[in-house]
Amino acid sequence: MRIVLLGPPGAGKGTQAALLAKRAGLAHVATGDLFRANLERGTELGKQAKGYMDRGALVPDDVTTRMVLERFKESDAADGFVLDGFPRTIPQAEALDAALAAAGQAVDHALLIEVGREELVRRLAGRWICRACQTPYHDHSAPPAKPGVCDACGGELYQRDDDRPEVVGARLDTYEKQTAPLAGYYERAGKLARIDGLGGIEDVAEKLGRAIGGPAAVAAAHVTVE
Ligand code: ADP
Ligand code: ADP
Ligand code: ZN
């Protein structure tokens, strides 16, 4: 199964992609995480991306698409993936479709997680992520067992520079201008499902599971991997 998760910054893409990937045995491919990992390692790609990320703009399509297609070559992505944060523009969506078609594959579902601006700002202001494994936490809605420490790996939690209110406005505007049109793109392809992103993390996970065909579909995706 090949799934695209769409939604504005703070909608819960990272949280839900991790759950869905684990339960369905799919690779979790998150472009923001890949860029941040490159930044931490000080790679050329990280240096290229930094300026765009710092001001809440998108990294150019060619750089981003190349990084994703490289990631697809890793073995865990062969049987399916949950894409989190990609595509974010129409050219990226077209490049993804073309690359998959060349391999006789296609996106099966595009799931749009919808959350209003006020709640997005609240979520981003309280977000902490793990420096080692990038798991997201929240001061109020998803606190770690021990403050500042990742439940999953024991890594150090930090707040992203681009989650500061000064940058969040720019990121939400970038989303509206460049990424929101993807809903129409996938709707025309008959692949779009809109999911209400409000409610508890498990409630949202259940809605996403239903949109891709229910627990049976999630389990079936897992079986093909094993
Ligand atoms: P995105 O990847 O779309 O930017 P995240 O998954 O990182 O979103 O979630 C943004 C913030 O909101 C995080 O702090 C996360 O812990 C929190 N969060 C995720 N899902 C929910 C939810 N259903 N209700 C409340 N807070 C949530
Ligand atoms: P969020 O989880 O808050 O939606 P991400 O972690 O996915 O944010 O992305 C962080 C930043 O990385 C973006 O603001 C952008 O600069 C860059 N980025 C991530 N994905 C893409 C993409 N598909 N195209 C261009 N830039 C991207
Ligand atoms: Zn961690």
Side-chain angles (χ1 to χ4, degrees):
M1 205 182 303
R2 292 173 181 83
I3 297 170
V4 166
L5 278 193
L6 299 171
K13 300 181 300 297
T15 300
Q16 295 298 331
L19 283 176
L20 187 55
K22 192 161 138 225
R23 291 172 184 173
L26 304 169
H28 176 189
V29 177
T31 41
D33 290 358
L34 292 172
F35 283 132
R36 278 185 293 276
N38 274 279
L39 273 176
E40 289 269 329
R41 293 202 310 270
T43 68
E44 198 49 46
L45 177 63
K47 285 176 198 150
Q48 263 179 303
K50 186 175 187 319
Y52 299 99
M53 296 174 78
D54 284 348
R55 59 174 195 275
L58 296 182
V59 179
D61 287 335
D62 56 339
V63 175
T64 306
T65 301
R66 211 176 314 127
M67 175 177 76
V68 171
L69 297 186
E70 274 304 306
R71 175 66 183 80
F72 283 174
K73 291 181 187 164
E74 289 174 40
S75 59
D76 65 331
D79 292 317
F81 47 71
V82 182
L83 274 176
D84 158 13
F86 184 91
R88 263 181 156 100
T89 65
I90 299 277
Q92 289 180 14
E94 288 170 347
L96 173 64
D97 279 348
L100 290 176
Q105 301 164 352
V107 169
D108 298 302
H109 301 279
L111 309 174
L112 170 59
I113 306 179
E114 297 183 305
V115 172
R117 196 163 175 127
E118 213 175 297
E119 171 68 7
L120 294 173
V121 170
R122 206 168 16 237
R123 289 187 183 181
L124 295 174
R127 172 159 68 180
W128 292 78
I129 65 172
C130 174
R131 205 174 283 288
C133 74
Q134 312 233 28
T135 297
Y137 295 87
H138 191 276
D139 281 333
H140 306 298
S141 58
K146 193 169 159 214
V149 181
C150 177
D151 292 348
C153 80
E156 175 208 0
L157 304 185
Y158 75 104
Q159 291 195 286
R160 280 167 51 178
D161 275 343
D162 61 348
D163 278 347
R164 283 177 297 126
E166 305 90 275
V167 189
V168 163
R171 286 166 58 209
L172 294 174
D173 292 345
T174 298
Y175 175 80
E176 285 307 325
K177 271 197 215 90
Q178 303 194 58
T179 307
L182 287 179
Y185 180 90
Y186 286 110
E187 196 153 45
R188 284 190 290 281
K191 293 180 176 170
L192 187 75
R194 294 174 192 271
I195 313 299
D196 178 2
L198 291 182
I201 288 171
E202 276 302 332
D203 296 330
V204 177
E206 200 185 303
K207 289 182 233 175
L208 289 169
R210 273 203 298 274
I212 62 171
V218 174
H222 193 41
V223 168
T224 58
V225 170
E226 282 170 348

